[in-house]
Amino acid sequence: ILNHIFGKSNYLSSEIYIGLLTREPNEDGTLIFEPDCQSYERVLTNASSWDDAFEGSIENINNITFGMACENWGKITHFALFDAAIGGNVLAYGCLSPSKNINSGDIPRFAPGDLIVCLV
């Protein structure tokens, strides 16, 4: 299933957008709170951004880098995977530990292996 979701085999689009959240969404993927700032946008990934799924998990193998925050984005507590750059469907989400305040001038990034998605 993870290989299909992340575009490692044909099933869904191989494009997944990573978003940052300022609070936990509802379990059904509603009430998404992303930074409400002009400099914030989701980051596009594709199949080559992710390792092959193994034992129920998959992780990024490349940097996932957001644009520079030109204003304070607030405290980022969660991430979400979307099927669109704006709106769209939430494919998965998770908690970030630790949470991080993103201030003007910061460039948020997930280094390779920092973003791990597991089926539970």
Side-chain angles (χ1 to χ4, degrees):
I1 292 174
L2 286 172
N3 280 331
H4 290 302
I5 291 172
F6 285 85
K8 304 304 277 183
S9 60
N10 293 332
Y11 179 68
L12 296 174
S13 169
S14 62
E15 295 181 340
I16 292 180
Y17 294 83
I18 309 298
L20 301 176
L21 309 178
T22 57
R23 64 176 80 157
E24 183 174 13
N26 287 342
E27 284 189 23
D28 64 0
T30 59
L31 291 179
I32 297 298
F33 294 95
E34 294 178 89
D36 186 17
C37 303
Q38 188 172 2
S39 64
Y40 170 78
E41 62 182 36
R42 297 173 186 169
V43 173
L44 174 63
T45 67
N46 59 38
S48 66
S49 303
W50 303 92
D51 200 357
D52 288 326
F54 181 72
E55 295 184 356
S57 68
I58 195 166
E59 64 185 50
N60 64 307
I61 57 174
N62 298 320
N63 284 322
I64 297 172
T65 305
F66 290 79
M68 181 189 304
C70 294
E71 60 272 304
N72 294 338
W73 291 0
K75 186 175 188 177
I76 304 301
T77 62
H78 291 75
F79 71 92
L81 309 177
F82 297 91
D83 61 2
I86 299 171
N89 299 298
V90 175
L91 304 173
Y93 70 89
C95 183
L96 297 177
S97 182
S99 298
K100 171 82 172 132
N101 285 316
I102 304 299
N103 299 309
S104 182
D106 290 345
I107 301 173
R109 156 178 93 93
F110 293 101
D114 279 355
L115 191 57
I116 301 169
V117 180
C118 302
L119 289 179
V120 289

